[in-house]
Amino acid sequence: MAEERALAALDVEALADDASALVRIPSVTGSERAVIEQFASRARARALATRVVAHDLAALRSDPDYPGEEAPRSELFTAVATLAGRDPDAPRLCLNGHLDVVDIGTGEWSRDPWSGALEDGLLHGRGSVDMKGGVVAAMHAVAAVAAAGGVAGDVVVQAVASEED
């Protein structure tokens, strides 16, 4: 019953629109701030408690266990969208995905890699599959669960800058 309510609450067109919007933002590793902020804005629009975290790079880099960075960066941001659960003692679930993408490279593209074009049920552009589409799908799934009455424990969606760092 709850699953049916959540599925009924899922707005597939809005999900596709949100994913398309994120794909249109060039977010090559090291330059993710705009896409993180756009994700946060769209999560807020879905009534999720959302915050953007600006990480202290100097503190991170000074940690002796810091693994380094895959690309140069001057800033590091994460968006956190939370559906508060009904029971503060219940376990939390965290869904985590990255919004950075690799450069478009030198190969020829059949369309603009930042188009976010929606055609014949497909989303086109860099990050559609890895992994902007997945992060948006997680956010919409959590919003649908909220619309269906929520769950016992908190559910958190983290949209991170770089899965390699």
Side-chain angles (χ1 to χ4, degrees), residues 71-129:
R73 71 172 57 254
S74 60
E75 59 186 16
L76 179 63
F77 290 88
T78 298
V80 180
T82 303
L83 166 61
R86 293 184 299 267
D87 178 358
D89 296 323
R92 300 178 89 199
L93 173 65
C94 179
L95 306 170
N96 176 292
H98 66 90
L99 295 179
D100 66 307
V101 297
V102 297
D103 198 319
I104 61 171
T106 58
E108 191 173 320
W109 286 75
S110 61
R111 65 184 78 221
D112 177 356
W114 309 115
S115 72
L118 291 162
E119 295 174 9
D120 298 323
L122 299 174
L123 174 60
H124 299 271
R126 180 62 95 199
S128 297
V129 176

Side-chain angles (χ1 to χ4, degrees), residues 27-50:
S27 56
V28 175
T29 305
S31 301
E32 306 93 351
R33 183 180 193 165
V35 75
I36 295 286
E37 290 175 343
Q38 182 62 225
F39 171 86
S41 173
R42 290 179 179 257
R44 276 187 209 99
R46 304 269 163 252
L48 298 174
T50 305

Side-chain angles (χ1 to χ4, degrees), residues 60-67:
L60 291 171
R61 290 172 174 154
S62 69
D63 186 309
D65 293 325
Y66 187 63

Side-chain angles (χ1 to χ4, degrees), residues 125-152:
R126 180 62 95 199
S128 297
V129 176
D130 184 20
M131 105 170 266
K132 293 176 179 182
V135 173
V136 169
M139 182 252 295
H140 275 264
V142 172
V145 166
V151 291

